[in-house]
């Protein structure tokens, strides 16, 4: 079986874990379906000569030691999915990483060549953040951006604790290389947008992340009767949340341009008490503002804060920020982009530079170690949806490119650049 | 102990079941707290000479048979509460019914007088409808407005089935009088508004219900990525639900007047999948329109339907009606209002006629049997809230009034009127 057929066969097997009727997957972090695919993936890695280990937050590693004691080039992504999500998001990158590492190791054996670095495949824990917040949890702990104990103490909406659940699944350990033992990181992912499809390129060379403001907002009202309470007496937290949701879209409509797009959203709205005959006393929601243009993002952020007081008056609620994250446009290393471009040129793959809007584990690794981030096209940009699709030819092209990138990274090509 | 002290002492005990830190109660239908208070209430009734029985939907009866074979005057309300609700809503009326029936029976014994009808106290199952939809479930089944099997098959958001849970609690039976054996019904309830407080009256003589449109709406969008999906591609079900929520308030603002108020609300919003990084594919919500003026309600309903298509276009969603209920202004029997007015005058209690905005079990009984509905004041109109309060003097005055009403109803005073 050639590389492409082998990759597609493994990917078909992987896509059976948590498979949904409409062709997607439903395997949030540390669910039974996620645990089953991790067990399968561990067996796959072990059968192909990798040493498999979990670290203290449940990141899963497959390590190939060609040079005893040498640092690792890590390559990977995540196998967990959104609820009723697509089968490519994350999973594609993990499987491509395993195949790339295996192919590179075979080249070492076949050629007798000794690399500078070892190679390690990583399946980060809970990238999606749909069950346990925040997202990119495993890579955040790994890179010191999130406290280990805080992560282990995180609970889902049913009260299940990350640490307890991972222990129950036997997916906690003290293995894997420390960050100090990592020489570089590479990740390939589906674009989740339609830039590559629209421009007709096979490969996206990710050169930067969009800037973003992310808010976790609490709207406080007062519980009352939906029928009998006089309208003027109501302090309706759900109405306040609805105004925020509409405002987020209005901000995008007002400020987004084709040159400097602005993406906004409200998501994960929870309402207390969510009774059919009770005006809500509290609502909690996530509100995101994202743009590749920091000036546009700043205007969006200003407009949000300018408008909140009028929403508070209209719904007679108070709105507070329970959590906030902000980051500016963050570049990936130019040398990594150049390395990937060279590889794509050698393989004859069309490519373009692109920014990533979504967060990825590579965003956490970037700045800590030299990091290369690659995209392949998403059909119609559909993502976090069971209809998510990347064509087989593009998926295989990406795996080929990742193989070349890993080969060069393990050879030390980025060293000193 | 006099009647008032005895009533307040029992009410204090009743308020301990599911008591919350802020002075409310948290005892949704068929929860442990609801089961415990029903057990306590059954023991109280039995100790005072009532024959206790459950019917096939878990309505709890306490029957006093003074005239073997004669029909019953039923008097009652409900003990279940909203989540973190108030301690008066329903519970006040059930306990007042038990005390009124006991006092009337004592009069029969003391005077040697034989009534025309027996008296029965009823604690209706699941009036609130917060855990199991619809509300007023027990009285709806009892009056044939809701199918018994459909009610028993209702499940809460965790999948618990009404029939299974009631059987587990030992609160299903085949007792209680059939509707054919009921001569009249009386209920006393807190107003849950501020009409009585504002006008300075102790008693509200309920002469009619507000008209209402109640909709259960489904908003269908498409699941996608909150970050990377291009704004123009989004079909955001939560945005559609937010527009509906804002619209409901706009309709009230546009059409409500002091002479013909209009109350509107959106409640119990659920979002799928409720992930922080996923544009919602579906939202479901309750939308109510209520008015004492049927013309105003009709204009509100028209405005709602006129505006839905523009919301569908704005959020690129489809909105469908998954369920709808409508009722016009419905009068309570004038003879019952007159009977209650006479009793209030004799007791020297100030009174006024009033409409009920909220639904009550009496609304289901009304039209089936002669029904008398009474209100006592709610401080500041606060309801479905832990701060719900009716002053002791008002609560006791209401219990006195209900006693007189039950005395006259069991004497057959309404017969033929």
């Amino acid at each position: 079986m050639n590389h492409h057929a082998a990759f597609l066969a493994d990917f078909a097997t992987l896509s059976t874990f948590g498979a949904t009727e409409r062709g997607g997957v439903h395997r949030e972090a540390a669910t039974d379906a996620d645990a089953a695919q991790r067990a399968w993936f561990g067996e796959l890695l072990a059968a192909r000569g990798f040493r498999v280990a979990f670290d203290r937050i449940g990141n899963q590693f497959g390590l190939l030691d060609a040079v005893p004691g040498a640092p690792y080039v890590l390559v990977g992504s995540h196998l967990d999915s959104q609820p009723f999500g697509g089968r490519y998001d994350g999973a594609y990158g993990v499987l491509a990483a395993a195949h790339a590492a295996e192919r590179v190791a075979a080249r070492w054996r076949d050629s007798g060549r000794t690399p500078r670095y070892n190679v390690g495949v990583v399946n980060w824990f809970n990238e999606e953040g749909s069950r346990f917040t925040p997202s990119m949890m495993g890579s955040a702990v790994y890179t010191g951006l999130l406290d280990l104990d805080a992560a282990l103490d995180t609970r889902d909406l049913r009260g299940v604790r990350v640490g307890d659940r991972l222990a129950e699944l036997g997916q906690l350990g003290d293995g894997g290389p420390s960050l100090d033992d990592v020489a570089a990181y590479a990740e390939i992912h589906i674009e989740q947008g339609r830039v590559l499809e629209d421009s007709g390129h096979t490969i996206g060379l990710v050169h930067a992340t969009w800037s973003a403001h992310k808010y976790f907002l609490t709207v406080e009202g007062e519980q009352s009767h939906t029928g009998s309470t006089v309208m003027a007496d109501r302090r309706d937290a759900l109405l306040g949340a609805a105004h925020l949701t509409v405002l987020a879209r209005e901000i995008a409509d007002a400020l987004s341009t084709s040159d400097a797009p602005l993406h906004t959203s409200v998501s994960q709205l929870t309402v207390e008490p969510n009774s059919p005959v009770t005006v809500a006393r509290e609502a909690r929601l996530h509100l995101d503002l994202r743009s590749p243009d920091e000036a546009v993002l700043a205007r969006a952020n200003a407009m949000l804060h300018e408008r909140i007081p009028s929403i508070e008056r209209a719904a007679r609620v108070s709105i507070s920020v329970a959590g906030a994250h902000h980051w500016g446009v963050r570049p990936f290393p130019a040398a990594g982009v150049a390395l990937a471009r060279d590889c794509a040129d050698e393989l004859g793959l069309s490519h373009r530079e692109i920014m990533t809007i979504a967060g990825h584990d590579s965003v956490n690794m970037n700045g800590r170690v030299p990091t290369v981030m690659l995209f392949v096209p998403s059909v119609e940009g559909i993502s976090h949806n069971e209809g998510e699709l990347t064509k087989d030819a593009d998926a295989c092209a990406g795996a080929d490119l990742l193989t070349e990138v890993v080969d060069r990274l393990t050879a030390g090509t980025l060293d000193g650049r």
Side-chain angles (χ1 to χ4, degrees), chain A:
Chain A
M1 194 153 43
N2 68 28
H3 295 309
H4 291 178
F7 177 79
L8 294 173
D10 279 344
F11 191 72
T13 304
L14 180 54
S15 301
T16 64
F17 292 96
T20 66
E21 286 182 8
R22 296 183 179 189
V25 293
H26 186 63
R27 50 191 192 206
E28 291 182 278
T31 56
D32 289 348
D34 184 41
Q37 73 181 345
R38 293 177 135 226
W40 170 82
F41 187 61
E43 287 168 15
L44 178 149
L45 289 170
R48 297 178 190 184
F50 292 81
R51 178 165 56 85
V52 179
F54 289 99
D55 72 5
R56 294 182 300 164
I57 189 58
N59 295 316
Q60 183 179 28
F61 294 90
L63 305 170
L64 281 178
D65 297 329
V67 187
Y72 292 86
V73 169
L74 276 186
V75 53
S77 191
H78 62 94
L79 290 179
D80 70 309
S81 88
Q82 288 289 319
F84 298 95
R87 59 192 195 274
Y88 294 88
D89 181 351
Y92 165 68
V94 173
L95 194 67
H99 277 251
E102 187 186 1
R103 286 166 66 179
V104 168
R107 291 178 186 176
W108 298 337
R109 278 196 309 276
D110 294 347
S111 67
R113 175 163 54 95
T114 300
R116 178 163 299 178
Y117 301 118
N118 295 310
V119 68
V121 174
V122 57
N123 165 26
W124 300 108
F125 173 67
N126 184 31
E127 192 272 350
E128 293 293 355
S130 54
R131 179 180 179 190
F132 301 107
T133 302
S135 56
M136 304 186 281
M137 180 178 278
S139 57
V141 170
Y142 189 77
T143 52
L145 298 168
L146 178 65
D147 179 69
L148 172 65
D149 290 332
L152 292 172
D153 281 340
T154 304
R155 293 175 188 270
D156 68 12
L157 293 178
R158 293 189 172 197
V160 176
R161 188 176 162 274
V162 164
D164 295 342
R165 179 60 178 155
L166 283 173
E168 181 185 20
L169 294 172
Q171 297 185 347
L172 284 181
D174 57 1
S178 73
L179 187 60
D180 291 341
D181 282 328
V182 176
Y185 177 72
E187 180 169 352
I188 193 164
H189 203 280
I190 59 166
E191 182 199 334
Q192 307 178 279
R194 49 168 70 203
V195 171
L196 294 176
E197 186 178 67
D198 286 351
S199 65
H201 292 93
T202 302
I203 299 295
L205 306 168
V206 181
H207 68 93
T209 58
W210 278 29
S211 56
H213 278 287
K214 287 190 164 200
Y215 293 104
F216 182 52
L217 300 175
T218 302
V219 184
E220 288 178 89
E222 186 171 51
Q223 188 168 320
S224 62
H225 195 295
T226 50
S228 59
T229 307
V230 175
M231 296 306 291
D233 285 349
R234 298 186 186 206
R235 300 181 54 222
D236 187 340
L238 176 54
L239 179 62
H243 278 299
L244 285 169
T245 305
V246 171
L247 172 59
R249 178 59 66 99
E250 287 174 352
I251 292 173
D253 290 345
L255 301 178
S256 188
T257 66
S258 54
D259 287 345
L262 174 70
H263 289 185
T264 65
S265 72
V266 167
S267 58
Q268 203 174 57
L269 174 65
T270 55
V271 180
E272 300 290 347
N274 209 15
S275 161
V277 284
T278 302
V279 173
R281 70 170 176 271
E282 183 178 291
R284 298 184 297 278
L285 55 89
H286 291 254
L287 191 154
D288 289 6
L289 310 170
R290 312 192 199 208
S291 178
D293 185 317
E294 292 189 0
V296 168
L297 186 73
R299 285 200 291 278
N301 194 47
M303 184 170 168
L304 172 68
H305 286 87
E306 284 161 15
R307 293 278 295 275
I308 282 179
S310 66
I311 291 175
E312 291 181 312
R313 285 191 298 274
R316 301 181 70 234
V317 296
S318 62
I319 297 172
S320 57
V321 176
H325 299 283
H326 168 63
W327 55 88
V329 170
R330 287 182 51 196
F332 283 87
V337 174
L339 179 151
R341 182 186 296 112
D342 291 347
C343 293
D345 284 338
E346 283 189 16
L347 292 172
L349 299 173
S350 64
H351 56 77
R352 62 169 285 167
E353 291 199 6
I354 190 170
M355 292 176 80
T356 179
I357 309 173
H360 296 289
D361 296 305
S362 63
V363 173
N364 283 337
M365 292 295 278
N366 186 26
R368 301 316 198 106
V369 300
T371 295
V372 177
M373 183 70 191
L374 306 168
F375 277 169
V376 289
S378 296
V379 173
E380 293 180 16
I382 294 169
S383 187
H384 286 190
N385 181 300
E386 293 165 283
E388 192 180 80
L389 178 65
T390 290
K391 292 176 183 166
D392 286 352
D394 291 334
C396 291
D400 289 346
L401 176 63
L402 187 66
T403 301
E404 300 309 319
V405 167
V406 169
D407 200 345
R408 294 197 187 196
L409 290 175
T410 51
T413 306
L414 268 192
D415 292 3
R417 293 176 62 187

